[in-house]
Short mmCIF file of all heavy atoms in Angstrom, two decimals:
data_model
loop_
_atom_site.label_atom_id
_atom_site.label_comp_id
_atom_site.label_asym_id
_atom_site.label_seq_id
_atom_site.Cartn_x
_atom_site.Cartn_y
_atom_site.Cartn_z
N SER J 45 282.69 31.76 25.27
CA SER J 45 282.44 32.52 26.52
C SER J 45 283.47 33.62 26.66
O SER J 45 284.70 33.52 26.26
CB SER J 45 282.61 31.51 27.77
OG SER J 45 282.93 32.20 28.89
N GLY J 46 283.00 34.71 27.17
CA GLY J 46 283.85 35.68 27.78
C GLY J 46 284.80 36.36 26.74
O GLY J 46 284.42 36.73 25.57
N ASN J 47 286.06 36.56 27.20
CA ASN J 47 286.94 37.39 26.36
C ASN J 47 287.41 36.57 25.01
O ASN J 47 287.94 37.18 24.06
CB ASN J 47 288.22 37.75 27.08
CG ASN J 47 289.12 36.53 27.49
OD1 ASN J 47 288.96 35.39 27.07
ND2 ASN J 47 290.21 36.88 28.28
N LYS J 48 287.08 35.31 25.01
CA LYS J 48 287.67 34.51 23.88
C LYS J 48 286.97 34.92 22.50
O LYS J 48 287.64 34.97 21.53
CB LYS J 48 287.41 32.98 24.09
CG LYS J 48 288.28 32.50 25.27
CD LYS J 48 289.76 32.65 25.06
CE LYS J 48 290.59 32.11 26.18
NZ LYS J 48 290.75 33.04 27.33
N LYS J 51 288.79 38.05 21.36
CA LYS J 51 290.11 37.83 20.90
C LYS J 51 290.20 37.11 19.61
O LYS J 51 291.15 37.08 18.85
CB LYS J 51 290.97 37.10 21.96
CG LYS J 51 291.10 37.95 23.27
CD LYS J 51 292.22 37.42 24.13
CE LYS J 51 291.94 36.09 24.77
NZ LYS J 51 293.20 35.67 25.41
N ASN J 76 289.77 27.09 27.37
CA ASN J 76 288.62 27.93 26.89
C ASN J 76 288.75 28.40 25.57
O ASN J 76 287.67 28.48 24.85
CB ASN J 76 288.46 29.13 27.91
CG ASN J 76 288.33 28.83 29.25
OD1 ASN J 76 287.68 27.83 29.63
ND2 ASN J 76 288.93 29.58 30.25
N HIS J 77 289.93 28.66 25.11
CA HIS J 77 290.16 29.12 23.77
C HIS J 77 289.80 28.10 22.74
O HIS J 77 289.17 28.40 21.77
CB HIS J 77 291.66 29.50 23.70
CG HIS J 77 292.15 29.81 22.28
ND1 HIS J 77 291.77 30.99 21.64
CD2 HIS J 77 292.95 29.18 21.46
CE1 HIS J 77 292.30 30.92 20.38
NE2 HIS J 77 292.99 29.85 20.25
N GLN J 146 297.98 30.66 20.24
CA GLN J 146 297.27 30.22 21.43
C GLN J 146 296.66 31.44 22.13
O GLN J 146 297.28 32.48 22.38
CB GLN J 146 298.32 29.54 22.41
CG GLN J 146 297.72 29.26 23.81
CD GLN J 146 298.66 28.52 24.72
OE1 GLN J 146 298.25 27.49 25.13
NE2 GLN J 146 299.88 28.93 24.78
N GLY J 147 295.44 31.28 22.50
CA GLY J 147 294.65 32.35 23.24
C GLY J 147 294.44 33.60 22.35
O GLY J 147 294.09 34.62 22.92
N GLU J 149 296.62 35.37 21.16
CA GLU J 149 297.72 36.32 21.46
C GLU J 149 298.31 36.99 20.16
O GLU J 149 298.85 36.27 19.31
CB GLU J 149 298.80 35.52 22.19
CG GLU J 149 300.06 36.46 22.50
CD GLU J 149 301.06 35.71 23.42
OE1 GLU J 149 300.93 34.55 23.66
OE2 GLU J 149 301.93 36.42 23.86
N ALA J 157 290.04 42.75 21.72
CA ALA J 157 289.87 42.97 23.18
C ALA J 157 289.55 44.39 23.50
O ALA J 157 288.94 44.72 24.54
CB ALA J 157 291.07 42.48 23.94
N CYS J 175 291.35 43.17 35.42
CA CYS J 175 291.09 41.99 34.73
C CYS J 175 292.18 40.86 35.08
O CYS J 175 293.15 41.21 35.58
CB CYS J 175 291.07 42.23 33.21
SG CYS J 175 292.68 42.66 32.56
N ALA J 176 291.72 39.65 34.72
CA ALA J 176 292.74 38.55 34.86
C ALA J 176 293.71 38.61 33.67
O ALA J 176 293.42 39.05 32.59
CB ALA J 176 291.96 37.21 34.88
N VAL J 177 294.93 38.02 33.92
CA VAL J 177 295.93 38.05 32.90
C VAL J 177 296.41 36.57 32.69
O VAL J 177 296.83 35.96 33.65
CB VAL J 177 297.12 38.97 33.30
CG1 VAL J 177 298.34 38.84 32.43
CG2 VAL J 177 296.68 40.40 33.32
N GLY J 178 296.41 36.21 31.46
CA GLY J 178 297.08 34.94 30.98
C GLY J 178 298.20 35.34 30.06
O GLY J 178 299.33 35.46 30.53
N THR J 179 297.89 35.57 28.78
CA THR J 179 298.86 36.06 27.88
C THR J 179 299.13 37.59 27.90
O THR J 179 300.01 38.15 27.41
CB THR J 179 298.49 35.70 26.40
OG1 THR J 179 297.39 36.40 26.08
CG2 THR J 179 298.30 34.19 26.28
N GLY J 180 298.06 38.33 28.52
CA GLY J 180 298.07 39.75 28.52
C GLY J 180 297.38 40.35 27.32
O GLY J 180 297.29 41.58 27.19
N THR J 181 296.87 39.53 26.44
CA THR J 181 296.14 40.03 25.24
C THR J 181 294.89 40.91 25.52
O THR J 181 294.78 42.04 25.12
CB THR J 181 295.77 38.90 24.29
OG1 THR J 181 296.91 38.12 23.99
CG2 THR J 181 295.22 39.44 22.90
N MET J 182 294.07 40.36 26.32
CA MET J 182 292.85 41.11 26.85
C MET J 182 293.25 42.34 27.54
O MET J 182 292.72 43.49 27.26
CB MET J 182 292.05 40.25 27.78
CG MET J 182 290.96 41.08 28.46
SD MET J 182 289.77 40.05 29.46
CE MET J 182 290.83 39.19 30.61
N MET J 183 294.23 42.27 28.46
CA MET J 183 294.65 43.48 29.19
C MET J 183 295.24 44.49 28.27
O MET J 183 294.85 45.70 28.41
CB MET J 183 295.66 43.09 30.27
CG MET J 183 296.05 44.30 31.10
SD MET J 183 297.07 43.82 32.48
CE MET J 183 297.35 45.33 33.29
N ALA J 184 295.94 44.23 27.21
CA ALA J 184 296.53 45.14 26.29
C ALA J 184 295.23 45.90 25.61
O ALA J 184 295.32 47.05 25.40
CB ALA J 184 297.37 44.52 25.29
N SER J 201 297.36 35.22 36.49
CA SER J 201 297.10 33.89 36.91
C SER J 201 298.31 32.92 36.66
O SER J 201 298.25 31.70 37.04
CB SER J 201 295.90 33.37 35.99
OG SER J 201 296.30 33.43 34.69
N ILE J 212 305.02 39.13 29.89
CA ILE J 212 303.71 39.68 29.77
C ILE J 212 303.86 41.25 29.49
O ILE J 212 303.18 41.82 28.71
CB ILE J 212 302.80 39.44 30.95
CG1 ILE J 212 302.82 37.99 31.36
CG2 ILE J 212 301.37 39.94 30.79
CD1 ILE J 212 301.85 37.01 30.57
N PHE J 215 305.13 41.95 26.19
CA PHE J 215 304.03 41.78 25.22
C PHE J 215 303.17 42.95 25.19
O PHE J 215 302.83 43.53 24.06
CB PHE J 215 303.22 40.41 25.47
CG PHE J 215 301.94 40.31 24.59
CD1 PHE J 215 302.08 39.86 23.26
CD2 PHE J 215 300.69 40.81 25.03
CE1 PHE J 215 300.92 39.73 22.47
CE2 PHE J 215 299.60 40.68 24.28
CZ PHE J 215 299.68 40.17 22.98
N TYR J 236 299.93 28.75 36.98
CA TYR J 236 298.79 28.54 36.03
C TYR J 236 297.89 27.39 36.38
O TYR J 236 298.49 26.30 36.50
CB TYR J 236 299.26 28.58 34.60
CG TYR J 236 298.17 28.56 33.61
CD1 TYR J 236 297.43 29.63 33.38
CD2 TYR J 236 297.85 27.39 32.94
CE1 TYR J 236 296.37 29.58 32.52
CE2 TYR J 236 296.85 27.40 32.03
CZ TYR J 236 296.00 28.46 31.82
OH TYR J 236 294.99 28.48 30.99
N ASP J 259 285.75 31.32 37.75
CA ASP J 259 286.54 30.06 37.40
C ASP J 259 287.76 30.10 38.21
O ASP J 259 288.27 31.19 38.54
CB ASP J 259 286.81 29.98 35.93
CG ASP J 259 287.93 30.94 35.48
OD1 ASP J 259 287.77 32.09 35.65
OD2 ASP J 259 288.91 30.37 35.14
N VAL J 261 290.84 29.31 37.31
CA VAL J 261 292.04 29.62 36.64
C VAL J 261 292.29 31.14 36.56
O VAL J 261 293.47 31.59 36.71
CB VAL J 261 292.14 28.97 35.28
CG1 VAL J 261 293.47 29.26 34.53
CG2 VAL J 261 291.91 27.50 35.31
N TYR J 262 291.23 31.87 36.32
CA TYR J 262 291.39 33.30 36.08
C TYR J 262 290.56 34.21 36.98
O TYR J 262 291.05 34.97 37.79
CB TYR J 262 291.01 33.60 34.64
CG TYR J 262 291.88 32.95 33.57
CD1 TYR J 262 291.40 31.87 32.82
CD2 TYR J 262 293.20 33.47 33.28
CE1 TYR J 262 292.15 31.28 31.86
CE2 TYR J 262 293.92 32.81 32.31
CZ TYR J 262 293.46 31.77 31.59
OH TYR J 262 294.12 31.21 30.63
N THR J 263 289.21 34.14 36.82
CA THR J 263 288.39 35.12 37.48
C THR J 263 288.31 34.96 39.06
O THR J 263 288.10 35.89 39.76
CB THR J 263 286.98 35.05 36.84
OG1 THR J 263 286.43 33.90 36.91
CG2 THR J 263 286.98 35.66 35.51
N ILE J 288 286.52 42.88 35.01
CA ILE J 288 285.96 42.28 33.87
C ILE J 288 285.76 40.77 34.14
O ILE J 288 286.83 40.12 34.45
CB ILE J 288 287.09 42.41 32.61
CG1 ILE J 288 287.52 43.94 32.43
CG2 ILE J 288 286.42 41.83 31.33
CD1 ILE J 288 286.39 44.83 32.05
N HIS J 289 284.69 40.32 33.96
CA HIS J 289 284.44 38.83 34.15
C HIS J 289 284.67 38.26 32.73
O HIS J 289 283.81 38.38 31.78
CB HIS J 289 282.98 38.48 34.59
CG HIS J 289 282.86 37.07 35.00
ND1 HIS J 289 283.40 35.98 34.22
CD2 HIS J 289 282.41 36.43 36.12
CE1 HIS J 289 283.20 34.83 34.87
NE2 HIS J 289 282.61 35.10 36.01
N SER J 290 285.83 37.67 32.60
CA SER J 290 286.18 37.22 31.22
C SER J 290 285.72 35.80 30.86
O SER J 290 286.14 35.23 29.84
CB SER J 290 287.76 37.27 31.17
OG SER J 290 288.36 36.84 32.42
N GLY J 291 284.81 35.20 31.64
CA GLY J 291 284.16 33.91 31.23
C GLY J 291 284.94 32.79 31.76
O GLY J 291 285.46 32.75 32.84
N GLY J 292 284.97 31.72 30.86
CA GLY J 292 285.86 30.47 31.28
C GLY J 292 285.36 29.61 32.26
O GLY J 292 286.06 28.74 32.82
N LEU J 293 284.03 29.68 32.58
CA LEU J 293 283.45 28.85 33.67
C LEU J 293 283.46 27.32 33.35
O LEU J 293 283.52 26.47 34.20
CB LEU J 293 281.96 29.27 33.94
CG LEU J 293 281.83 30.71 34.49
CD1 LEU J 293 280.42 31.18 34.52
CD2 LEU J 293 282.53 30.87 35.83
C1 PLP A 1 291.87 33.11 28.36
C2 PLP A 1 291.31 33.77 29.54
C3 PLP A 1 291.92 34.86 30.17
C4 PLP A 1 293.36 35.25 29.79
O1 PLP A 1 293.31 36.24 28.78
P1 PLP A 1 294.59 36.72 28.13
O2 PLP A 1 294.19 37.65 27.03
O3 PLP A 1 295.38 35.50 27.57
O4 PLP A 1 295.43 37.41 29.21
C5 PLP A 1 291.40 35.40 31.32
N1 PLP A 1 290.13 34.95 31.70
C6 PLP A 1 289.52 33.88 31.18
C7 PLP A 1 288.30 33.42 31.74
C8 PLP A 1 290.03 33.26 30.09
O5 PLP A 1 289.48 32.12 29.61
#
Side-chain angles (χ1 to χ4, degrees):
S45 158
N47 69 5
K48 296 299 179 278
K51 296 200 291 169
N76 297 326
H77 170 71
Q146 169 172 237
E149 177 175 7
C175 67
V177 171
T179 63
T181 307
M182 167 172 61
M183 184 170 180
S201 57
I212 311 279
F215 172 83
Y236 184 73
D259 79 295
V261 182
Y262 297 105
T263 54
I288 310 297
H289 193 313
S290 39
L293 298 171

